[in-house]
Amino acid sequence: AQTVTQSQPEMSVQEAETVTLSCTYDTSESDYYLFWYKQPPSRQMILVIRQEAYKQQNATENRFSVNFQKAAKSFSLKISDSQLGDAAMYFCAYRTDGGNQFYFGTGTSLTVIP
Amino acid sequence: EAGVAQSPRYKIIEKRQSVAFWCNPISGHATLYWYQQILGQGPKLLIQFQNNGVVDDSQLPKDRFSAERLKGVDSTLKIQPAKLEDSAVYLCASSPLGFYNEQFFGPGTRLTVL
C-alpha cells in the first residue's frame, strides 16, 4: 500500500528566509509522480510543484524547489525568500504511473512571520 | 477560465439527516473526483468519474454515500443518513481526460454533523 508521511505538523519561517518541508513515502513501484499542494485558509488546493520519479533532476518552480531522493523515498519542498502569502497548509501527494488515485500526507501548516 | 465550483460552502446538519453537495467541474474536464478531508488529515479519494462512468469508488461507504454525474458534467454527492464521523470538508476536483496529474480543486464544502 502506498503511504505518504509528513512528520512536521507545523513549521514557521521568517519572511525572506528559507524553509524546508519534509515528506517520505512508501511504495514498491518504480514509476510514479510526486506533488506538493498548497491549501490556503480559503481551502482551494493549488498545485505547487510536481516531480516525475524517472527524472533525476529536481523540479524547480520559481522560489519553490524539491529535493527528490528516490532511494531514500524522500521528497522535500524548499521555499526560498518566504513571503507572507506562502502561509498555508502544504500537502505532499503521490500517484502511481498508470493509476488515477492521489495519496496525500497529513499536511504541514506553514506560518510566515513578518 | 472558471474554476471548479462547489455548493454549498458550509452545511450543518443533525446526525441521521441527509445532505447533498454539488460540483461543477472546469468546462471540458472529463474526469471528476470527490475527496473527503477530515480535520488534521489529507484528502482521501471517495469516488472518481470519467465522463458519466465510475472509474473508482473503492473507498466510498456505499451504505450511506452515493454519487452521480449525469450527462458527464455536474456531479452530486449525497450522504444518507449522516453520522458524526462524516464531519469533514468535501472537495471536488477535475482534470482533463488522461491528464491525471493536472487536478484542479474546488473550494470545498465544510460539513458539520451534530
Side-chain angles (χ1 to χ4, degrees), chain B residues 3-63:
Chain B
V4 177
Q6 290 188 248
S7 68
R9 292 294 310 277
Y10 304 91
K11 189 73 176 179
I12 300 174
I13 61 172
E14 301 279 337
K15 61 183 179 182
R16 291 187 289 274
Q17 285 187 324
S18 301
V19 65
F21 312 128
W22 173 82
C23 172
N24 180 236
I26 292 173
S27 178
H29 282 193
T31 309
L32 184 147
Y33 314 78
W34 281 105
Y35 289 88
Q36 179 191 57
Q37 186 178 14
I38 293 172
L39 185 65
Q41 299 181 19
K44 182 186 80 171
L45 181 70
L46 291 176
I47 188 167
Q48 176 186 344
F49 292 94
Q50 188 158 295
N51 295 312
N52 60 350
V54 175
V55 173
D56 184 351
D57 64 356
S58 57
Q59 299 189 87
L60 186 74
K62 298 180 186 62
D63 58 333

Coordinates of all heavy atoms in Angstrom, one line a residue, chain B residues 3-63:
Chain B
G3 N -13.0 28.2 -12.5 CA -12.5 27.1 -11.8 C -13.6 26.1 -11.4 O -14.8 26.2 -11.9
V4 N -13.3 25.1 -10.6 CA -14.3 24.2 -10.1 C -15.2 24.9 -9.1 O -14.7 25.5 -8.1 CB -13.5 23.0 -9.4 CG1 -14.6 22.0 -8.9 CG2 -12.6 22.3 -10.5
A5 N -16.5 24.7 -9.3 CA -17.4 25.3 -8.4 C -18.1 24.3 -7.5 O -18.4 23.2 -8.0 CB -18.5 26.1 -9.2
Q6 N -18.3 24.6 -6.3 CA -18.9 23.7 -5.3 C -20.0 24.5 -4.5 O -19.7 25.7 -4.2 CB -17.9 23.1 -4.3 CG -17.0 22.1 -5.0 CD -16.2 21.4 -4.0 OE1 -15.0 21.5 -3.9 NE2 -16.8 20.5 -3.2
S7 N -21.0 23.8 -4.2 CA -22.0 24.4 -3.2 C -22.7 23.4 -2.5 O -22.8 22.2 -2.9 CB -23.0 25.3 -4.0 OG -23.9 24.5 -4.8
P8 N -23.2 23.7 -1.2 CA -22.9 24.9 -0.5 C -21.5 25.0 0.0 O -20.8 24.0 -0.1 CB -23.9 24.8 0.6 CG -24.0 23.4 0.9 CD -23.9 22.7 -0.4
R9 N -21.1 26.1 0.5 CA -19.7 26.1 1.1 C -19.7 25.6 2.5 O -18.7 25.0 3.0 CB -19.2 27.6 1.1 CG -19.0 28.2 -0.3 CD -17.8 27.4 -1.0 NE -16.6 27.3 -0.1 CZ -15.7 28.3 0.0 NH1 -15.9 29.4 -0.6 NH2 -14.7 28.1 0.8
Y10 N -20.8 25.7 3.2 CA -20.9 25.2 4.6 C -22.3 24.6 4.8 O -23.3 25.0 4.2 CB -20.8 26.4 5.6 CG -19.5 27.1 5.4 CD1 -19.4 28.3 4.6 CD2 -18.3 26.7 6.1 CE1 -18.3 29.0 4.5 CE2 -17.1 27.4 5.9 CZ -17.1 28.5 5.1 OH -15.9 29.2 5.0
K11 N -22.3 23.5 5.6 CA -23.6 22.9 5.9 C -23.5 22.3 7.3 O -22.5 21.6 7.6 CB -23.8 21.8 4.9 CG -25.2 21.1 4.9 CD -26.3 22.1 4.4 CE -27.6 21.4 4.4 NZ -28.7 22.3 3.9
I12 N -24.5 22.5 8.1 CA -24.6 21.9 9.4 C -25.9 21.1 9.5 O -27.0 21.6 9.1 CB -24.6 23.0 10.5 CG1 -23.4 23.8 10.4 CG2 -24.8 22.4 11.9 CD1 -23.3 25.0 11.4
I13 N -25.8 19.9 9.9 CA -27.0 19.0 9.9 C -26.9 18.2 11.2 O -25.9 18.1 11.9 CB -27.1 18.1 8.7 CG1 -25.9 17.1 8.6 CG2 -27.3 18.9 7.4 CD1 -26.1 16.0 7.6
E14 N -28.1 17.6 11.6 CA -28.1 16.7 12.7 C -27.8 15.3 12.2 O -28.0 15.0 11.0 CB -29.5 16.7 13.3 CG -30.0 18.0 13.8 CD -29.4 18.3 15.2 OE1 -29.1 17.4 15.9 OE2 -29.4 19.5 15.5
K15 N -27.3 14.4 13.0 CA -27.0 13.1 12.6 C -28.3 12.4 12.2 O -29.4 12.7 12.7 CB -26.3 12.3 13.7 CG -27.1 12.1 15.0 CD -26.2 11.4 16.0 CE -27.0 11.2 17.4 NZ -26.2 10.6 18.4
R16 N -28.1 11.5 11.3 CA -29.2 10.7 10.7 C -30.0 11.6 9.6 O -30.9 11.0 8.9 CB -30.2 10.2 11.7 CG -29.6 9.1 12.5 CD -30.7 8.4 13.4 NE -31.1 9.3 14.5 CZ -30.5 9.4 15.7 NH1 -29.4 8.7 15.9 NH2 -30.9 10.2 16.6
Q17 N -29.7 12.8 9.4 CA -30.3 13.6 8.4 C -29.5 13.3 7.1 O -28.5 12.7 7.0 CB -30.2 15.1 8.7 CG -31.2 15.5 9.7 CD -31.3 17.0 9.9 OE1 -30.3 17.7 9.8 NE2 -32.5 17.6 10.1
S18 N -30.1 13.8 6.0 CA -29.5 13.6 4.7 C -28.9 15.0 4.2 O -29.4 16.0 4.6 CB -30.5 13.2 3.6 OG -31.1 12.0 4.1
V19 N -27.9 14.9 3.3 CA -27.3 16.1 2.8 C -26.8 15.8 1.4 O -26.4 14.7 1.1 CB -26.2 16.6 3.7 CG1 -25.0 15.6 3.8 CG2 -25.7 18.0 3.3
A20 N -26.7 16.8 0.6 CA -26.2 16.7 -0.8 C -25.3 17.8 -1.1 O -25.5 19.0 -0.7 CB -27.4 16.6 -1.8
F21 N -24.2 17.5 -1.9 CA -23.3 18.5 -2.3 C -23.2 18.5 -3.8 O -23.4 17.5 -4.4 CB -21.9 18.2 -1.8 CG -21.8 17.8 -0.3 CD1 -21.2 16.7 0.1 CD2 -22.4 18.7 0.6 CE1 -21.1 16.4 1.5 CE2 -22.3 18.4 2.0 CZ -21.7 17.2 2.4
W22 N -23.0 19.7 -4.4 CA -22.9 19.8 -5.8 C -21.6 20.3 -6.3 O -20.9 21.1 -5.6 CB -24.0 20.8 -6.2 CG -24.0 21.2 -7.6 CD1 -24.6 20.5 -8.7 CD2 -23.5 22.4 -8.2 NE1 -24.4 21.2 -9.9 CE2 -23.7 22.3 -9.6 CE3 -22.8 23.5 -7.7 CZ2 -23.3 23.3 -10.5 CZ3 -22.4 24.5 -8.5 CH2 -22.6 24.4 -9.9
C23 N -21.2 19.8 -7.4 CA -19.9 20.2 -8.0 C -20.1 20.5 -9.5 O -20.7 19.6 -10.2 CB -18.8 19.1 -7.8 SG -17.3 19.4 -8.7
N24 N -19.5 21.6 -10.0 CA -19.4 21.8 -11.4 C -18.0 21.9 -11.8 O -17.3 22.9 -11.4 CB -20.2 23.1 -11.7 CG -20.1 23.5 -13.2 OD1 -19.7 24.6 -13.6 ND2 -20.6 22.6 -14.0
P25 N -17.5 21.0 -12.6 CA -16.0 21.0 -12.9 C -15.7 22.0 -13.9 O -16.6 22.7 -14.5 CB -15.8 19.6 -13.5 CG -17.2 19.2 -14.1 CD -18.2 19.9 -13.2
I26 N -14.4 22.1 -14.2 CA -14.0 23.0 -15.2 C -14.5 22.5 -16.6 O -14.5 21.3 -16.8 CB -12.4 23.1 -15.2 CG1 -12.0 23.9 -14.0 CG2 -11.9 23.9 -16.5 CD1 -10.5 23.9 -13.8
S27 N -14.9 23.4 -17.4 CA -15.5 23.1 -18.7 C -14.6 22.2 -19.5 O -13.4 22.6 -19.7 CB -15.9 24.3 -19.5 OG -16.4 24.0 -20.7
G28 N -15.1 21.1 -20.0 CA -14.2 20.2 -20.8 C -13.5 19.2 -20.1 O -12.9 18.3 -20.7
H29 N -13.4 19.2 -18.7 CA -12.7 18.2 -18.0 C -13.6 17.0 -17.9 O -14.7 17.0 -17.3 CB -12.4 18.8 -16.6 CG -11.2 19.7 -16.6 ND1 -10.6 20.1 -15.4 CD2 -10.6 20.3 -17.6 CE1 -9.6 20.9 -15.7 NE2 -9.5 21.0 -17.0
A30 N -13.0 15.9 -18.4 CA -13.8 14.6 -18.4 C -13.7 13.9 -17.0 O -14.6 13.1 -16.7 CB -13.2 13.7 -19.5
T31 N -12.7 14.1 -16.3 CA -12.5 13.4 -15.0 C -12.9 14.2 -13.8 O -12.5 15.4 -13.7 CB -11.1 12.9 -14.9 OG1 -10.7 12.2 -16.1 CG2 -11.0 11.9 -13.7
L32 N -13.7 13.7 -12.9 CA -14.1 14.4 -11.7 C -13.9 13.5 -10.5 O -14.1 12.3 -10.6 CB -15.6 14.7 -11.9 CG -16.3 15.6 -10.8 CD1 -17.3 16.5 -11.4 CD2 -16.8 14.7 -9.7
Y33 N -13.4 14.1 -9.5 CA -13.1 13.4 -8.2 C -13.8 14.0 -7.0 O -14.0 15.3 -7.0 CB -11.6 13.5 -7.9 CG -10.7 13.3 -9.1 CD1 -10.4 14.2 -10.0 CD2 -10.0 12.0 -9.2 CE1 -9.5 14.0 -11.1 CE2 -9.1 11.8 -10.2 CZ -8.9 12.8 -11.2 OH -8.0 12.6 -12.2
W34 N -14.3 13.2 -6.1 CA -14.7 13.7 -4.8 C -13.8 13.1 -3.7 O -13.5 11.9 -3.7 CB -16.1 13.1 -4.5 CG -17.2 13.8 -5.2 CD1 -18.0 13.4 -6.3 CD2 -17.8 15.1 -4.8 NE1 -18.9 14.3 -6.6 CE2 -18.9 15.4 -5.7 CE3 -17.6 16.0 -3.8 CZ2 -19.7 16.5 -5.6 CZ3 -18.3 17.2 -3.7 CH2 -19.4 17.4 -4.6
Y35 N -13.3 14.1 -2.9 CA -12.4 13.7 -1.8 C -13.1 14.1 -0.5 O -13.8 15.1 -0.4 CB -11.1 14.5 -1.9 CG -10.2 14.1 -3.0 CD1 -10.3 14.7 -4.3 CD2 -9.2 13.2 -2.7 CE1 -9.4 14.3 -5.2 CE2 -8.3 12.8 -3.7 CZ -8.4 13.4 -5.0 OH -7.5 13.0 -6.0
Q36 N -12.7 13.4 0.6 CA -13.2 13.7 1.9 C -11.9 14.1 2.7 O -10.9 13.3 2.7 CB -13.8 12.5 2.6 CG -14.2 12.7 4.0 CD -14.6 11.5 4.8 OE1 -13.8 10.5 4.8 NE2 -15.9 11.4 5.2
Q37 N -11.9 15.3 3.3 CA -10.8 15.7 4.1 C -11.2 16.0 5.5 O -11.9 17.0 5.9 CB -10.2 17.0 3.5 CG -8.9 17.4 4.2 CD -8.3 18.7 3.6 OE1 -8.9 19.4 2.8 NE2 -7.1 18.9 3.9
I38 N -10.9 15.0 6.4 CA -11.2 15.1 7.8 C -10.2 16.0 8.4 O -9.0 16.0 8.0 CB -11.2 13.7 8.5 CG1 -12.4 12.9 7.9 CG2 -11.3 13.8 10.0 CD1 -12.5 11.5 8.3
L39 N -10.6 16.8 9.4 CA -9.7 17.8 10.1 C -8.4 17.1 10.5 O -8.4 16.1 11.2 CB -10.4 18.4 11.3 CG -9.6 19.5 12.0 CD1 -9.4 20.7 11.0 CD2 -10.4 19.9 13.2
G40 N -7.3 17.7 10.1 CA -6.0 17.1 10.5 C -5.4 16.0 9.6 O -4.4 15.4 9.9
Q41 N -6.2 15.7 8.6 CA -5.8 14.7 7.6 C -5.7 15.2 6.2 O -6.2 16.3 5.9 CB -6.7 13.5 7.7 CG -6.8 12.8 9.0 CD -7.8 11.6 9.0 OE1 -8.1 11.1 8.0 NE2 -8.2 11.2 10.2
G42 N -5.0 14.5 5.4 CA -5.0 14.8 4.0 C -6.3 14.3 3.3 O -7.0 13.5 3.8
P43 N -6.6 14.9 2.1 CA -7.8 14.4 1.4 C -7.7 12.9 1.0 O -6.6 12.4 0.7 CB -7.7 15.3 0.1 CG -6.9 16.4 0.4 CD -5.9 15.9 1.4
K44 N -8.8 12.3 1.1 CA -9.0 10.9 0.7 C -10.0 10.7 -0.4 O -11.1 11.2 -0.3 CB -9.4 10.0 1.9 CG -9.5 8.5 1.7 CD -10.0 7.8 2.9 CE -11.6 7.9 2.9 NZ -12.2 7.0 3.9
L45 N -9.6 10.0 -1.5 CA -10.5 9.9 -2.6 C -11.7 9.0 -2.2 O -11.6 7.9 -1.7 CB -9.8 9.2 -3.8 CG -10.6 9.0 -5.0 CD1 -10.9 10.4 -5.7 CD2 -9.9 8.1 -6.0
L46 N -12.9 9.5 -2.5 CA -14.1 8.8 -2.3 C -14.6 8.1 -3.6 O -14.9 6.9 -3.7 CB -15.2 9.7 -1.8 CG -15.1 10.3 -0.4 CD1 -16.2 11.2 -0.1 CD2 -15.1 9.2 0.6
I47 N -14.6 8.9 -4.7 CA -15.0 8.4 -6.0 C -14.4 9.2 -7.1 O -14.2 10.4 -7.0 CB -16.6 8.4 -6.0 CG1 -17.1 7.6 -7.3 CG2 -17.1 9.8 -6.0 CD1 -18.6 7.4 -7.2
Q48 N -14.2 8.5 -8.2 CA -13.7 9.1 -9.4 C -14.6 8.8 -10.6 O -14.9 7.6 -10.8 CB -12.3 8.7 -9.7 CG -11.7 9.2 -11.0 CD -10.3 8.7 -11.3 OE1 -9.7 8.1 -10.5 NE2 -9.9 8.9 -12.6
F49 N -15.0 9.8 -11.4 CA -15.8 9.6 -12.6 C -14.9 9.9 -13.8 O -14.1 10.9 -13.8 CB -17.0 10.6 -12.6 CG -18.0 10.3 -11.6 CD1 -18.0 10.9 -10.4 CD2 -19.1 9.4 -11.8 CE1 -19.0 10.7 -9.4 CE2 -20.1 9.2 -10.9 CZ -20.0 9.8 -9.7
Q50 N -15.2 9.2 -14.9 CA -14.7 9.6 -16.2 C -15.9 9.8 -17.1 O -16.6 8.8 -17.3 CB -13.7 8.6 -16.7 CG -13.0 9.1 -18.0 CD -11.7 8.4 -18.2 OE1 -10.7 8.5 -17.4 NE2 -11.6 7.6 -19.3
N51 N -16.1 11.0 -17.5 CA -17.4 11.3 -18.1 C -18.5 11.0 -17.1 O -18.5 11.4 -16.0 CB -17.5 10.7 -19.5 CG -16.5 11.2 -20.4 OD1 -16.3 12.4 -20.6 ND2 -15.7 10.4 -21.1
N52 N -19.5 10.2 -17.5 CA -20.5 9.8 -16.5 C -20.4 8.4 -16.0 O -21.3 7.9 -15.3 CB -21.9 10.0 -17.2 CG -22.1 9.1 -18.4 OD1 -21.2 8.5 -18.9 ND2 -23.3 9.1 -18.9
G53 N -19.2 7.8 -16.2 CA -19.0 6.5 -15.6 C -18.1 6.5 -14.4 O -17.2 7.4 -14.3
V54 N -18.3 5.6 -13.5 CA -17.4 5.5 -12.3 C -16.2 4.7 -12.6 O -16.2 3.6 -13.1 CB -18.2 4.8 -11.2 CG1 -17.3 4.6 -10.0 CG2 -19.4 5.6 -10.8
V55 N -15.0 5.3 -12.3 CA -13.7 4.7 -12.5 C -13.3 3.9 -11.2 O -12.7 2.8 -11.3 CB -12.6 5.7 -12.9 CG1 -11.3 5.0 -13.0 CG2 -13.0 6.3 -14.3
D56 N -13.5 4.6 -10.1 CA -13.0 4.1 -8.8 C -13.9 4.6 -7.7 O -14.0 5.8 -7.5 CB -11.6 4.5 -8.5 CG -11.0 3.9 -7.3 OD1 -11.7 3.3 -6.5 OD2 -9.7 4.1 -7.1
D57 N -14.6 3.7 -7.0 CA -15.4 4.0 -5.9 C -15.1 3.1 -4.7 O -15.9 2.8 -3.8 CB -16.9 4.1 -6.2 CG -17.4 2.7 -6.6 OD1 -16.6 1.7 -6.7 OD2 -18.6 2.6 -6.8
S58 N -13.9 2.6 -4.7 CA -13.5 1.6 -3.7 C -13.5 2.1 -2.3 O -13.6 1.3 -1.3 CB -12.1 1.0 -4.0 OG -11.1 2.0 -4.1
Q59 N -13.3 3.4 -2.1 CA -13.3 3.9 -0.7 C -14.6 4.7 -0.4 O -14.6 5.4 0.6 CB -12.1 4.8 -0.5 CG -10.8 4.1 -0.7 CD -9.6 4.9 -0.3 OE1 -9.2 4.9 0.8 NE2 -9.0 5.5 -1.3
L60 N -15.6 4.5 -1.2 CA -16.9 5.2 -0.9 C -17.7 4.3 0.0 O -18.0 3.1 -0.4 CB -17.6 5.4 -2.2 CG -18.9 6.2 -2.1 CD1 -18.6 7.7 -1.9 CD2 -19.7 6.1 -3.4
P61 N -18.1 4.8 1.2 CA -19.0 4.0 2.0 C -20.4 3.9 1.4 O -21.3 4.7 1.7 CB -19.0 4.8 3.4 CG -17.9 5.8 3.2 CD -17.8 6.0 1.8
K62 N -20.6 2.8 0.7 CA -21.8 2.8 -0.2 C -23.1 2.5 0.6 O -24.2 2.7 0.0 CB -21.6 1.7 -1.2 CG -20.4 1.9 -2.2 CD -20.3 0.8 -3.2 CE -19.0 0.9 -4.0 NZ -17.8 0.9 -3.2
D63 N -23.0 2.2 1.9 CA -24.2 2.0 2.6 C -24.9 3.4 2.9 O -26.1 3.5 3.2 CB -23.9 1.3 3.9 CG -22.9 2.0 4.8 OD1 -22.0 2.7 4.2 OD2 -22.9 1.8 6.0

